[in-house]
Short mmCIF file of all heavy atoms in Angstrom, two decimals:
data_model
loop_
_atom_site.label_atom_id
_atom_site.label_comp_id
_atom_site.label_asym_id
_atom_site.label_seq_id
_atom_site.Cartn_x
_atom_site.Cartn_y
_atom_site.Cartn_z
N VAL A 354 103.62 98.37 122.49
CA VAL A 354 103.84 98.61 121.07
C VAL A 354 102.83 97.87 120.26
O VAL A 354 102.29 98.40 119.25
CB VAL A 354 105.28 98.12 120.69
CG1 VAL A 354 105.58 98.45 119.24
CG2 VAL A 354 106.33 98.76 121.58
N SER A 355 102.52 96.64 120.63
CA SER A 355 101.46 95.88 119.95
C SER A 355 100.15 96.66 119.94
O SER A 355 99.42 96.74 118.95
CB SER A 355 101.27 94.53 120.60
OG SER A 355 100.22 93.82 120.03
N MET A 356 99.80 97.21 121.12
CA MET A 356 98.57 97.99 121.26
C MET A 356 98.52 99.14 120.29
O MET A 356 97.50 99.41 119.67
CB MET A 356 98.46 98.49 122.69
CG MET A 356 97.28 99.42 122.96
SD MET A 356 97.36 100.19 124.56
CE MET A 356 98.74 101.32 124.29
N LEU A 357 99.63 99.89 120.14
CA LEU A 357 99.65 101.06 119.26
C LEU A 357 99.42 100.71 117.81
O LEU A 357 98.74 101.41 117.08
CB LEU A 357 100.99 101.79 119.46
CG LEU A 357 101.19 102.48 120.83
CD1 LEU A 357 102.60 103.04 120.91
CD2 LEU A 357 100.15 103.52 121.10
N THR A 358 99.96 99.57 117.39
CA THR A 358 99.76 99.16 116.00
C THR A 358 98.27 98.83 115.71
O THR A 358 97.75 99.26 114.63
CB THR A 358 100.62 97.90 115.64
OG1 THR A 358 100.19 96.81 116.47
CG2 THR A 358 102.10 98.19 115.90
N VAL A 359 97.62 98.22 116.65
CA VAL A 359 96.21 97.84 116.48
C VAL A 359 95.38 99.13 116.58
O VAL A 359 94.33 99.22 115.91
CB VAL A 359 95.77 96.79 117.47
CG1 VAL A 359 94.38 96.38 117.19
CG2 VAL A 359 96.68 95.60 117.46
N PHE A 360 95.78 100.05 117.46
CA PHE A 360 95.02 101.29 117.57
C PHE A 360 95.00 102.05 116.25
O PHE A 360 93.92 102.54 115.81
CB PHE A 360 95.67 102.17 118.65
CG PHE A 360 95.06 103.56 118.71
CD1 PHE A 360 93.79 103.76 119.23
CD2 PHE A 360 95.81 104.65 118.29
CE1 PHE A 360 93.25 105.03 119.30
CE2 PHE A 360 95.27 105.93 118.35
CZ PHE A 360 94.01 106.12 118.87
N ALA A 361 96.11 102.10 115.56
CA ALA A 361 96.17 102.76 114.25
C ALA A 361 95.22 102.08 113.28
O ALA A 361 94.45 102.77 112.52
CB ALA A 361 97.59 102.75 113.72
N GLY A 362 95.24 100.75 113.26
CA GLY A 362 94.31 100.04 112.36
C GLY A 362 92.85 100.29 112.71
O GLY A 362 92.00 100.38 111.80
N ALA A 363 92.56 100.34 114.03
CA ALA A 363 91.17 100.57 114.44
C ALA A 363 90.64 101.96 114.02
O ALA A 363 89.49 102.04 113.53
CB ALA A 363 91.07 100.39 115.96
N VAL A 364 91.49 102.96 114.13
CA VAL A 364 91.09 104.30 113.70
C VAL A 364 90.77 104.33 112.22
O VAL A 364 89.71 104.86 111.78
CB VAL A 364 92.18 105.32 114.06
CG1 VAL A 364 91.87 106.68 113.42
CG2 VAL A 364 92.37 105.45 115.54
N VAL A 365 91.68 103.76 111.43
CA VAL A 365 91.45 103.69 109.98
C VAL A 365 90.16 102.90 109.65
O VAL A 365 89.40 103.29 108.79
CB VAL A 365 92.67 103.06 109.29
CG1 VAL A 365 92.35 102.79 107.82
CG2 VAL A 365 93.89 104.00 109.40
N ASN A 366 89.97 101.83 110.39
CA ASN A 366 88.81 100.95 110.16
C ASN A 366 87.47 101.72 110.35
O ASN A 366 86.58 101.63 109.55
CB ASN A 366 88.86 99.72 111.05
CG ASN A 366 87.76 98.74 110.78
OD1 ASN A 366 86.65 98.86 111.29
ND2 ASN A 366 88.03 97.77 109.91
N VAL A 367 87.43 102.45 111.49
CA VAL A 367 86.20 103.22 111.80
C VAL A 367 85.93 104.24 110.71
O VAL A 367 84.78 104.38 110.25
CB VAL A 367 86.33 103.87 113.19
CG1 VAL A 367 85.17 104.85 113.39
CG2 VAL A 367 86.34 102.79 114.29
N ILE A 368 86.95 105.02 110.37
CA ILE A 368 86.81 106.09 109.34
C ILE A 368 86.31 105.46 108.04
O ILE A 368 85.40 106.01 107.41
CB ILE A 368 88.13 106.84 109.16
CG1 ILE A 368 88.52 107.58 110.41
CG2 ILE A 368 88.03 107.79 107.99
CD1 ILE A 368 89.86 108.24 110.39
N LEU A 369 86.98 104.39 107.60
CA LEU A 369 86.58 103.76 106.35
C LEU A 369 85.19 103.12 106.38
O LEU A 369 84.46 103.22 105.44
CB LEU A 369 87.64 102.68 105.94
CG LEU A 369 89.02 103.20 105.56
CD1 LEU A 369 89.95 102.04 105.26
CD2 LEU A 369 88.93 104.17 104.32
N ASN A 370 84.85 102.51 107.52
CA ASN A 370 83.52 101.91 107.66
C ASN A 370 82.40 102.95 107.53
O ASN A 370 81.41 102.78 106.81
CB ASN A 370 83.41 101.18 108.99
CG ASN A 370 83.64 99.67 108.88
OD1 ASN A 370 83.20 99.03 107.95
ND2 ASN A 370 84.38 99.14 109.81
N LEU A 371 82.58 104.05 108.26
CA LEU A 371 81.58 105.12 108.27
C LEU A 371 81.46 105.75 106.85
O LEU A 371 80.40 106.28 106.50
CB LEU A 371 81.96 106.16 109.28
CG LEU A 371 81.86 105.71 110.73
CD1 LEU A 371 82.37 106.82 111.72
CD2 LEU A 371 80.43 105.25 111.15
N THR A 372 82.57 105.71 106.11
CA THR A 372 82.57 106.31 104.80
C THR A 372 82.07 105.35 103.71
O THR A 372 81.28 105.75 102.83
CB THR A 372 83.98 106.77 104.38
OG1 THR A 372 84.50 107.63 105.37
CG2 THR A 372 84.02 107.44 103.04
N MET A 373 82.48 104.09 103.82
CA MET A 373 82.24 103.13 102.69
C MET A 373 80.98 102.32 102.86
O MET A 373 80.35 101.93 101.84
CB MET A 373 83.43 102.23 102.58
CG MET A 373 84.72 102.96 102.27
SD MET A 373 86.15 101.87 102.17
CE MET A 373 85.83 101.02 100.57
N VAL A 374 80.53 102.03 104.10
CA VAL A 374 79.34 101.21 104.25
C VAL A 374 78.10 101.87 103.65
O VAL A 374 77.31 101.18 102.95
CB VAL A 374 79.12 100.84 105.75
CG1 VAL A 374 77.73 100.22 105.97
CG2 VAL A 374 80.21 99.82 106.20
N PRO A 375 77.86 103.19 103.92
CA PRO A 375 76.64 103.78 103.34
C PRO A 375 76.67 103.73 101.81
O PRO A 375 75.63 103.74 101.13
CB PRO A 375 76.72 105.21 103.84
CG PRO A 375 77.51 105.18 105.11
CD PRO A 375 78.55 104.10 104.83
N LEU A 376 77.89 103.73 101.21
CA LEU A 376 78.01 103.76 99.75
C LEU A 376 78.03 102.36 99.14
O LEU A 376 77.38 102.14 98.09
CB LEU A 376 79.29 104.48 99.35
CG LEU A 376 79.41 105.96 99.75
CD1 LEU A 376 80.78 106.50 99.40
CD2 LEU A 376 78.34 106.76 98.98
N TYR A 377 78.71 101.41 99.79
CA TYR A 377 78.92 100.12 99.15
C TYR A 377 78.43 98.95 100.01
O TYR A 377 78.65 97.82 99.62
CB TYR A 377 80.43 99.91 98.86
CG TYR A 377 81.03 101.04 98.05
CD1 TYR A 377 81.88 101.92 98.64
CD2 TYR A 377 80.68 101.16 96.66
CE1 TYR A 377 82.45 102.96 97.87
CE2 TYR A 377 81.23 102.23 95.94
CZ TYR A 377 82.09 103.10 96.51
OH TYR A 377 82.63 104.14 95.82
N GLY A 378 77.77 99.22 101.10
CA GLY A 378 77.19 98.20 101.95
C GLY A 378 78.26 97.25 102.50
O GLY A 378 79.31 97.64 102.92
N GLY A 379 77.94 95.93 102.40
CA GLY A 379 78.85 94.90 102.96
C GLY A 379 80.21 94.87 102.28
O GLY A 379 81.21 94.58 102.95
N ILE A 380 80.25 95.11 101.00
CA ILE A 380 81.54 95.20 100.24
C ILE A 380 82.42 96.28 100.84
O ILE A 380 83.62 96.11 101.04
CB ILE A 380 81.31 95.42 98.76
CG1 ILE A 380 80.62 94.20 98.10
CG2 ILE A 380 82.63 95.73 98.08
CD1 ILE A 380 81.45 92.98 98.07
N GLY A 381 81.81 97.43 101.17
CA GLY A 381 82.55 98.51 101.76
C GLY A 381 83.15 98.17 103.12
O GLY A 381 84.27 98.46 103.47
N ALA A 382 82.31 97.43 103.93
CA ALA A 382 82.75 96.99 105.26
C ALA A 382 83.92 96.03 105.16
O ALA A 382 84.90 96.11 105.91
CB ALA A 382 81.61 96.36 106.01
N ALA A 383 83.81 95.08 104.24
CA ALA A 383 84.91 94.05 104.06
C ALA A 383 86.14 94.72 103.59
O ALA A 383 87.27 94.41 104.04
CB ALA A 383 84.43 92.99 103.07
N THR A 384 86.04 95.70 102.68
CA THR A 384 87.21 96.43 102.20
C THR A 384 87.89 97.22 103.29
O THR A 384 89.13 97.27 103.40
CB THR A 384 86.82 97.38 101.02
OG1 THR A 384 86.19 96.60 100.00
CG2 THR A 384 88.03 98.08 100.46
N ALA A 385 87.06 97.86 104.14
CA ALA A 385 87.61 98.61 105.29
C ALA A 385 88.39 97.69 106.21
O ALA A 385 89.48 98.06 106.71
CB ALA A 385 86.52 99.33 106.02
N THR A 386 87.86 96.51 106.44
CA THR A 386 88.54 95.58 107.30
C THR A 386 89.86 95.11 106.72
O THR A 386 90.84 95.04 107.40
CB THR A 386 87.62 94.32 107.56
OG1 THR A 386 86.40 94.78 108.20
CG2 THR A 386 88.31 93.28 108.43
N PHE A 387 89.85 94.83 105.43
CA PHE A 387 91.08 94.40 104.79
C PHE A 387 92.20 95.50 104.87
O PHE A 387 93.35 95.22 105.23
CB PHE A 387 90.82 94.08 103.29
CG PHE A 387 92.03 94.03 102.43
CD1 PHE A 387 93.11 93.19 102.75
CD2 PHE A 387 92.17 94.85 101.29
CE1 PHE A 387 94.26 93.16 101.94
CE2 PHE A 387 93.30 94.81 100.53
CZ PHE A 387 94.35 93.97 100.85
N ILE A 388 91.84 96.70 104.52
CA ILE A 388 92.80 97.81 104.58
C ILE A 388 93.40 97.97 105.92
O ILE A 388 94.62 98.20 106.15
CB ILE A 388 92.19 99.12 104.06
CG1 ILE A 388 91.89 98.98 102.58
CG2 ILE A 388 93.17 100.30 104.26
CD1 ILE A 388 91.08 100.15 101.97
N SER A 389 92.53 97.97 106.98
CA SER A 389 92.98 98.13 108.38
C SER A 389 93.88 97.00 108.82
O SER A 389 94.92 97.23 109.48
CB SER A 389 91.79 98.31 109.29
OG SER A 389 90.98 97.21 109.31
N CYS A 390 93.56 95.80 108.44
CA CYS A 390 94.37 94.62 108.82
C CYS A 390 95.73 94.65 108.12
O CYS A 390 96.71 94.28 108.72
CB CYS A 390 93.63 93.32 108.48
SG CYS A 390 92.18 93.00 109.53
N LEU A 391 95.74 95.08 106.87
CA LEU A 391 96.96 95.24 106.16
C LEU A 391 97.88 96.30 106.84
O LEU A 391 99.10 96.07 106.99
CB LEU A 391 96.73 95.62 104.67
CG LEU A 391 97.88 95.95 103.84
CD1 LEU A 391 98.84 94.71 103.74
CD2 LEU A 391 97.47 96.43 102.46
#
Side-chain angles (χ1 to χ4, degrees):
V354 184
S355 175
M356 175 191 70
L357 292 174
T358 62
V359 185
F360 172 72
V364 171
V365 170
N366 184 274
V367 170
I368 294 172
L369 291 178
N370 262 319
L371 294 176
T372 304
M373 300 178 72
V374 169
L376 296 175
Y377 307 108
I380 293 292
T384 303
T386 299
F387 163 56
I388 293 173
S389 61
C390 290
L391 175 61

